[in-house]
Amino acid sequence: MLKIDHINTFYGNIHALRDVSIEVAEGEIITLIGANGAGKTTTLMSISGIAPPRNGEIVFEGKPIHHLPPHEIVELGISQVPEGRHIFPYLSVSENLDMGSFLRKDTAGIRKDLEYVYELFPILAERRNQAGGTLSGGEQQMLAISRSIMARPRLLLLDEPSLGLAPIVVKKIFEIIAKINEENRTTIFLVEQNANLALKVAHRGYVMENGIISMTDSAANLLANDDVQKAYLGI
Amino acid sequence: MVSPAPRFLAAPRNVAQRNGLDSMDWEYTAELFLGGLTRGSIYALIALGYTMVYGIIELINFAHGEIYMIGAFTGLIVTGVLTMMGWNEVAILVIAATVAMIYSSCYGYTIEKIAYKPIRNAPRLSALISAIGMSLFLQNYVLLAQTSDFLPFPALIPEIGWWKPYSHIISSAEIVLIITTAVVMILLNFLIKFTRIGKAMRATSQDRKMAMLTGVDINGVISMTFIVGSATAALGGVLIASHIGQINFYIGFIAGIKAFVAAVLGGIGSVPGAVLGSLVLGWTESFFTGYVSSDYEDVFAFIFLVCILIFRPAGILGRSDTEKV
């Protein structure tokens, strides 16, 4: 479904991604794990067109997308929940959700998806008229994920959804991630520092170090791998 | 002999100029109040462009005053042509304003594409310098293409007969100005609150990167912001020129600075703030001139600005936390 083929991405003179290749099949949950500053977020930003690669190819469903502007990439069905949630602070909860469906025209489908996310996270329905910036961290993460669901993406990119959240909220968020993957057949590309958590929900994983993909395997194998255990699982 | 620099707006009549009238009488106060309201409306039409552009791309668009000036010139040219063809005043006003709005919008759109878009990711200072350069360029361009002299601008807003007895308190031209501004504000508020492009504008100003990730075409939003801001400034240009009666290539500078002060006063980036700041500035100037002195009108306006910024750096309605990371 998504094929990242030897991309190199730069921030100014910093060579952030070096020859990165990742493949994602339809219906999969794949995870990209690695330390701080390894290039995980940059990978997602390259896919979304915010930090386009200098060379290499990104192909989504047979169509090269690495030269497209971000809004056209969203239109093709790739939605990102960025690190730090990025809720529009002065838009209400329901306006934030409206922004998720910004490019959609199917009014009936939008209404149905809105009911779906309110069912998924009833707290958002309660707070629908409240400004996004006044929500707690956990609620904001729920809103950020819901906003992306409102885009009805075929590929959902999630950047550090567990960051800074209480364990019980993290558990709930990860349940929802598995649920939307199963129920909607949404393909999920999950970036996480919490490797243990990520590898448990994912089917396959990639390990990134200093801008290079150093390892790839099924999630179960990575969980059992000695090096991964030492470096990322703290075992 | 050097003639004194012409004022942007004629000062309200000073206490001393009014013979035989008690300075505290209600009519005088009402006159100052309405005079301030007119000034405030004028500032607001220009201040909107500053504040909207700042809200979206955090740039003080110093060329905005020049857009206003170009709007006034366009209005004058259209007026000249239509007057020769013998059209009536109201029709001329409507057409001159419309043409000026469209023409100035093209300028606003083009300026953004030429002077700001290529350096959007450069440090903010570069964009600021580019804006100042654009402003000087446009001033000198009009100076060369037109003239350095003051040109008379015909009064296009007719005096309404039955209003004549009250016109020393507020003229019908001023009423038209105030009402036009109010209508523009209401339309703009509707645009920002309830339309798709308005929602995209708000999202972009709050979190540009996230707006891109939800599928907003940032370039479209930025262009639209420049178009709307330029159109309101041009409308202001035509109405004010017709009210004051003369224009030259330099009017955009003074008007722009005053409107910029008003936008900062209200909280730059905030649309209601720009309107409120404009009204506060208008009334402050009007009452100060009326009751104290007309010589220090500008001085007092800027002292007032400094005080506001000391005690409320974000402006009256500004949010101190909009600084983006």
Side-chain angles (χ1 to χ4, degrees):
Chain A
M1 178 185 223
L2 180 79
K3 189 162 189 273
I4 301 174
D5 198 3
H6 296 285
I7 60 164
N8 286 279
T9 302
F10 292 76
Y11 279 125
N13 287 324
I14 299 161
H15 197 166
L17 298 183
R18 296 163 189 268
D19 263 338
V20 168
S21 296
I22 294 173
E23 266 188 70
V24 187
E26 183 139 25
E28 241 187 342
I29 302 182
I30 77 134
T31 183
L32 179 61
I33 58 177
N36 251 340
K40 308 186 298 291
T41 297
T42 309
T43 308
L44 292 192
M45 288 304 172
S46 287
I47 299 172
S48 284
I50 304 273
R54 192 173 289 181
N55 50 51
E57 274 201 326
I58 303 176
V59 180
F60 180 64
E61 297 186 324
K63 189 177 174 355
I65 59 165
H66 48 273
H67 55 268
L68 294 181
H71 65 273
E72 287 182 31
I73 293 173
V74 176
E75 203 159 15
L76 290 173
I78 301 180
S79 181
Q80 184 182 154
V81 181
E83 184 181 354
R85 307 180 276 266
H86 285 267
I87 296 304
F88 298 113
Y90 303 107
L91 296 188
S92 69
V93 167
S94 68
E95 284 175 322
N96 265 285
L97 292 172
D98 284 350
M99 283 311 295
S101 54
F102 186 73
L103 291 175
R104 290 173 64 184
K105 305 268 189 297
D106 55 323
T107 323
I110 293 173
R111 201 175 311 124
K112 220 180 101 217
D113 285 351
L114 195 60
E115 275 165 28
Y116 176 73
V117 298
Y118 280 153
E119 207 175 288
L120 230 42
F121 301 108
I123 187 81
L124 296 182
E126 266 171 50
R127 315 223 145 155
R128 68 179 83 193
N129 294 321
Q130 210 170 309
T134 63
L135 300 184
S136 74
E139 288 161 359
Q140 287 195 358
Q141 188 65 59
M142 295 176 198
L143 178 56
I145 292 176
S146 301
R147 183 175 56 192
S148 274
I149 294 175
M150 290 304 294
R152 198 181 280 181
R154 288 211 292 288
L155 173 62
L156 180 60
L157 313 174
L158 290 156
D159 197 351
E160 305 273 9
S162 74
L163 199 69
L165 300 184
I168 185 158
V169 182
V170 173
K171 190 163 164 269
K172 161 114 181 158
I173 299 269
F174 273 76
E175 278 169 16
I176 298 286
I177 292 171
K179 190 174 168 188
I180 47 184
N181 173 253
E182 257 167 51
E183 284 180 1
N184 308 355
R185 305 300 304 150
T186 309
T187 311
I188 288 170
F189 189 139
L190 172 67
V191 160
E192 257 297 347
Q193 269 194 63
N194 189 336
N196 191 24
L197 210 59
L199 289 172
K200 275 180 186 148
V201 67
H203 305 128
R204 288 190 306 119
Y206 288 82
V207 180
M208 187 169 240
E209 273 172 65
N210 299 322
I212 296 167
I213 298 289
S214 60
M215 211 186 296
T216 173
D217 210 330
S218 73
N221 286 350
L222 284 177
L223 264 177
N225 184 293
D226 278 351
D227 294 336
V228 174
Q229 284 190 351
K230 259 191 222 125
Y232 303 108
L233 301 175
I235 300 171
Chain B
M1 207 188 105
V2 185
S3 57
R7 310 181 74 92
F8 166 46
L9 293 172
R13 270 164 295 169
N14 191 265
V15 187
Q17 290 167 289
R18 294 177 53 90
N19 300 323
L21 252 180
D22 180 1
S23 68
M24 295 309 284
D25 87 53
W26 72 270
E27 209 178 282
Y28 187 57
T29 309
E31 191 179 320
L32 293 178
F33 178 84
L34 293 170
L37 187 62
T38 311
R39 278 168 175 257
S41 305
I42 290 171
Y43 294 149
L45 281 175
I46 311 170
L48 276 172
Y50 277 112
T51 218
M52 285 176 70
V53 165
Y54 187 86
I56 301 283
I57 56 173
E58 291 179 25
L59 164 77
I60 307 293
N61 178 16
F62 275 111
H64 188 62
E66 269 49 68
I67 296 286
Y68 156 86
M69 178 268 291
I70 287 170
F73 267 90
T74 314
L76 181 62
I77 292 165
V78 174
T79 304
V81 172
L82 294 183
T83 308
M84 276 195 291
M85 289 164 66
W87 289 44
N88 98 324
E89 282 170 350
V90 178
I92 293 177
L93 179 67
V94 171
I95 292 172
T98 312
V99 173
M101 285 166 80
I102 294 168
Y103 193 69
S104 291
S105 296
C106 297
Y107 266 93
Y109 176 87
T110 313
I111 288 170
E112 193 271 324
K113 289 277 179 275
I114 293 175
Y116 306 144
K117 192 175 173 218
I119 50 173
R120 199 178 287 160
N121 296 318
R124 266 194 237 169
L125 196 55
S126 316
L128 198 66
I129 292 166
S130 186
I132 293 171
M134 209 43 175
S135 166
L136 291 173
F137 168 78
L138 289 173
Q139 271 179 30
N140 286 285
Y141 159 68
V142 175
L143 169 66
L144 291 173
Q146 301 290 330
T147 167
S148 63
D149 297 333
F150 267 91
L151 300 171
F153 199 109
L156 294 172
I157 307 170
E159 281 293 328
I160 303 162
W162 57 265
W163 184 255
K164 274 256 163 67
Y166 313 101
S167 66
H168 65 285
I169 299 176
I170 182 169
S171 69
S172 35
E174 287 168 332
I175 295 176
V176 170
L177 245 169
I178 293 169
I179 290 175
T180 310
T181 307
V183 169
V184 168
M185 300 301 144
I186 290 166
L187 287 178
L188 204 62
N189 193 44
F190 178 82
L191 175 90
I192 290 170
K193 280 234 169 85
F194 300 111
T195 64
R196 195 177 130 86
I197 180 81
K199 207 172 272 178
M201 281 176 172
R202 282 189 290 155
T204 307
S205 81
Q206 289 173 30
D207 191 330
R208 193 201 303 187
K209 195 191 274 183
M210 192 60 227
M212 288 160 98
L213 288 175
T214 56
V216 174
D217 175 7
I218 296 295
N219 291 326
V221 167
I222 293 174
S223 293
M224 191 63 190
T225 308
F226 273 84
I227 288 172
V228 172
S230 302
T232 52
L235 179 63
V238 174
L239 289 177
I240 298 159
S242 157
H243 177 53
I244 299 174
Q246 57 176 9
I247 60 172
N248 82 341
F249 73 97
Y250 202 60
I251 55 169
F253 178 73
I254 312 285
I257 289 286
K258 282 288 182 73
F260 173 60
V261 168
V264 173
L265 200 60
I268 191 137
S270 154
V271 171
V275 178
L276 188 63
S278 300
L279 291 177
V280 168
L281 184 66
W283 278 320
T284 308
E285 285 182 354
S286 183
F287 282 111
F288 182 82
T289 322
Y291 285 126
V292 188
S293 157
S294 62
D295 296 336
Y296 292 98
E297 171 201 325
D298 290 353
V299 176
F300 185 72
F302 284 98
I303 289 175
F304 189 63
L305 173 77
V306 170
C307 290
I308 289 260
L309 291 185
I310 288 172
F311 295 110
R312 225 184 124 67
I316 302 170
L317 291 185
R319 295 158 173 156
S320 48
D321 55 349
T322 39
E323 197 59 41
K324 281 160 208 160
V325 246

